[in-house]
Amino acid sequence: MQQEYRKIWGRKQNRPLKEYQKNLLETLLPQLQISLKPETKVDPTIIFPLSKEDYHLEIGFGGGEHLAARALQAPEIGFIGCEPFVNGVASLVKHIDAHTIENVCIVIDDARLLLAALPDQCVSRIYILFPDPWHKKRHNKRRIISSETISDLSRVLKSGGSLYLATDIIDYADWMQKTLKPRGEFTLEMNGRDTLTDRPTDWPSPTKYEQKGTKAGRNSSYMIYRKK
Ligand SMILES: C[S@@+](CC[C@H](N)C(=O)[O-])C[C@H]1O[C@@H](n2cnc3c(N)ncnc32)[C@H](O)[C@@H]1O
């Protein structure tokens, strides 16, 4: 695995954690956290304490509102959340504690390292919602959606599985489609919607991040790519 991937751009922590958040990180997080070890696979079928029907992955879960809502809706699914930002992890752990959620594992690291550690065809859904846009052209290569990550996303997705993407940045929405289009195994599904900016009705409530974009007048695009 290429260690240069460990260079995660952007913040890893901003506000100091409140005392109860620190407590949860010390008491509850160790029961949920999966650490990545060199040359070791992370097999979803063995990391959850109770066996699960299927597995979903969320990359860059931010405050974890979406992940917690999905996990509550589907207790039969094992959810793996990946987020390097400690305040975000503390927020997800708070939701997990408040709702006694028992089907989430957390990886606090760069998603590209996690992807490399996952076996082929092991998850049936991947969510990457409102990823950091890296607006400047010279920073575009930092985007989590790239031709390299798409190869790994495709490898870990089961056949018939789906990649859920969302962004409130028009340029990134185009970039996502341009990156996916050459990949013959993915089909963009509209699921009865007229445009990509129609929010799918079965998605959980918008996260704080999504709400911020809406408040600022940005239209979001929601894409569901199905893998053949
Ligand atoms: C703009 S926020 C969106 C958060 C959340 N998905 C939402 O919709 O509210 C992007 C998130 O991606 C995380 N992130 C950035 N680079 C990442 C990486 N290499 N692997 C995993 N997560 C990453 C950031 O820490 C941040 O929490």
Side-chain angles (χ1 to χ4, degrees):
M1 175 132 351
Q2 297 183 4
Q3 285 303 308
E4 65 263 29
Y5 278 168
R6 279 208 188 268
K7 185 168 168 55
I8 298 168
W9 294 280
R11 33 183 212 158
K12 293 199 188 80
Q13 183 170 355
N14 60 2
R15 313 173 295 280
L17 296 172
K18 299 194 175 96
E19 217 39 55
Y20 80 93
Q21 289 179 309
K22 283 190 202 159
N23 277 340
L24 281 178
L25 290 186
E26 276 166 26
T27 53
L28 185 52
L29 178 64
Q31 300 167 44
L32 313 169
Q33 188 178 0
I34 307 295
S35 300
L36 301 180
K37 299 191 186 91
E39 313 303 328
T40 309
K41 287 279 172 204
V42 173
D43 182 349
T45 61
I46 58 175
I47 58 176
F48 289 89
L50 299 173
S51 77
K52 295 289 161 201
E53 281 177 19
D54 208 343
Y55 303 93
H56 295 175
L57 165 66
E58 180 163 352
I59 288 176
F61 57 70
E65 308 101 302
H66 172 269
L67 181 50
R70 293 276 188 192
L72 262 177
Q73 275 169 10
E76 71 286 3
I77 304 291
F79 287 83
I80 305 169
C82 181
E83 170 59 59
F85 181 46
V86 176
N87 295 72
V89 173
S91 167
L92 173 62
V93 173
K94 186 186 72 183
H95 292 299
I96 290 173
D97 181 54
H99 300 284
T100 326
I101 297 172
E102 293 180 334
N103 52 334
V104 171
C105 285
I106 302 176
V107 174
I108 310 175
D109 215 324
D110 186 329
R112 289 164 294 185
L113 291 171
L114 170 61
L115 287 172
L118 287 170
D120 295 355
Q121 305 224 19
C122 64
V123 296
S124 64
R125 272 193 199 180
I126 302 175
Y127 299 100
I128 307 180
L129 309 179
F130 303 93
D132 293 332
W134 297 112
H135 293 285
K136 290 185 183 148
K137 266 231 149 17
R138 69 172 189 280
H139 290 157
N140 282 177
K141 58 179 180 298
R142 297 180 181 182
R143 288 177 168 175
I144 195 75
I145 303 294
S146 69
S147 46
E148 291 89 48
T149 49
I150 290 297
S151 295
D152 254 344
L153 292 165
S154 176
R155 183 183 62 73
V156 305
L157 251 188
K158 290 181 186 176
S159 173
S162 302
L163 174 61
Y164 285 61
L165 303 176
T167 180
D168 55 352
I169 306 298
I170 294 170
D171 172 60
Y172 206 175
D174 291 343
W175 167 285
M176 287 171 173
Q177 289 167 77
K178 279 189 194 134
T179 309
L180 267 296
K181 208 169 179 183
R183 309 278 318 199
E185 76 273 36
F186 284 106
T187 316
L188 182 57
E189 295 205 320
M190 296 305 289
N191 294 347
R193 297 177 302 146
D194 294 327
T195 71
L196 293 180
T197 50
D198 291 337
R199 195 174 194 277
T201 49
D202 60 346
W203 281 34
S205 311
T207 63
K208 267 191 211 150
Y209 185 86
E210 183 177 350
Q211 287 174 31
K212 232 163 117 183
T214 309
K215 250 194 188 155
R218 293 193 292 273
N219 267 336
S220 297
S221 298
Y222 307 88
M223 294 165 239
I224 303 169
Y225 281 93
R226 194 172 166 83
K227 187 186 161 194
K228 276 186 200 147

